[in-house]
Amino acid sequence: SAVISQKPSRDICQRGTSLTIQCQVDSQVTMMFWYRQQPGQSLTLIATANQGSEATYESGFVIDKFPISRPNLTFSTLTVSNMSPEDSSIYLCSVDGQGVGNTEAFFGQGTRLTVV
Amino acid sequence: AQSVTQPDIHITVSEGASLELRCNYSYGATPYLFWYVQSPGQGLQLLLKYFSGDTLVQGIKGFEAEFKRSQSSFNLRKPSVHWSDAAEYFCAVVNDYKLSFGAGTTVTVRA
């Protein structure tokens, strides 16, 4: 299994500002994933982050809005840029626990973001 | 692409009663299927998973799920629910190495 620490756990931010969310894993993992969970909704994949390469974004998500860093095999950051109230969501980091596709995913506790 | 559907948005069940949550997957090769639980204010916890083999899968917290290819279903069951089972439950499928989640089912447990 993998233990994932996400920071911050929650934040309230002003519109137009940016927030960077950190995800730290206790073991080296190939793939890291960032999800968004809007209020009362399911999880939507934002992007996949592999170390040493640019993140791969899903349809509807762009790098300018959600820049991602993956400097090593245990850490990643997601930035929510130029925030608006529509960005109020829970953002979750996830890792591939087996190293062969996402056949077992582990999740952080999430970052609850409120934009005012 | 593989996807999952959870037909029930909200289920209310009495403590001690049985629980069944429905999950249907789209047609395709044998899917990799998962059930996750999200308690209020918490992240997601894996309850169980199915890749192949025995179609009845045992998970944590007394949950089990049965894979039925003929019905394209992977329903989650628990014989006797506890108040602590009140949570959001998500069915998920691996889709090109990524997880696709169903809309979720909220379970309320009444005393």
Side-chain angles (χ1 to χ4, degrees):
Chain A
S1 65
V3 177
I4 304 169
S5 300
Q6 257 186 260
K7 292 180 181 179
S9 59
R10 58 177 64 232
D11 207 342
I12 300 173
C13 300
Q14 297 290 325
R15 66 177 68 200
T17 63
S18 298
L19 176 72
T20 296
I21 302 168
Q22 299 180 3
C23 179
Q24 179 75 52
V25 189
D26 68 343
S27 57
Q28 294 184 343
V29 293
T30 304
M31 293 184 179
M32 296 181 77
F33 305 85
W34 287 99
Y35 288 86
R36 181 177 71 182
Q37 186 178 22
Q38 293 177 299
Q41 303 295 314
S42 185
L43 284 79
T44 302
L45 182 63
I46 297 172
T48 303
N50 291 332
Q51 191 266 338
S53 62
E54 284 194 7
T56 302
Y57 289 82
E58 298 299 304
S59 176
F61 297 96
V62 295
I63 187 171
D64 289 345
K65 177 67 176 178
F66 297 101
I68 289 171
S69 77
R70 182 79 199 275
N72 56 52
L73 291 174
T74 63
F75 187 78
S76 178
T77 67
L78 169 76
T79 299
V80 186
S81 302
N82 189 24
M83 288 183 284
S84 67
E86 292 70 34
D87 294 319
S88 298
S89 298
I90 299 173
Y91 293 85
L92 295 112
C93 171
S94 172
V95 303
D96 164 19
Q98 294 190 0
V100 182
N102 202 354
T103 53
E104 182 158 358
F106 299 92
F107 288 83
Q109 295 295 319
T111 296
R112 185 178 295 272
L113 170 63
T114 301
V115 183
V116 297
Chain B
Q2 291 273 16
S3 63
V4 289
T5 303
Q6 293 180 247
D8 304 306
I9 297 173
H10 190 191
I11 287 180
T12 299
V13 61
S14 298
E15 191 170 15
S18 64
L19 174 68
E20 182 167 14
L21 304 181
R22 295 185 290 167
C23 173
N24 297 107
Y25 65 90
S26 61
Y27 178 78
T30 300
Y32 292 171
L33 292 161
F34 305 80
W35 275 100
Y36 283 87
V37 61
Q38 185 179 35
S39 299
Q42 301 295 313
L44 271 73
Q45 183 180 23
L46 179 68
L47 288 174
L48 47 78
K49 59 188 176 183
Y50 174 78
F51 294 163
S52 64
D54 193 349
T55 56
L56 185 62
V57 181
Q58 300 298 321
I60 63 171
K61 302 186 178 187
F63 285 92
E64 66 177 26
E66 186 170 12
F67 174 73
K68 291 186 177 180
R69 184 183 298 279
S70 62
Q71 299 178 18
S72 299
S73 68
F74 187 57
N75 294 348
L76 181 72
R77 299 192 294 253
K78 185 167 184 177
S80 176
V81 299
H82 186 263
W83 63 266
S84 60
D85 294 322
E88 187 84 12
Y89 292 79
F90 293 97
C91 182
V93 64
V94 172
N95 187 4
D96 189 22
Y97 76 81
K98 297 172 285 188
L99 276 178
S100 294
F101 287 85
T105 299
T106 301
V107 173
T108 299
V109 180
R110 59 182 176 221

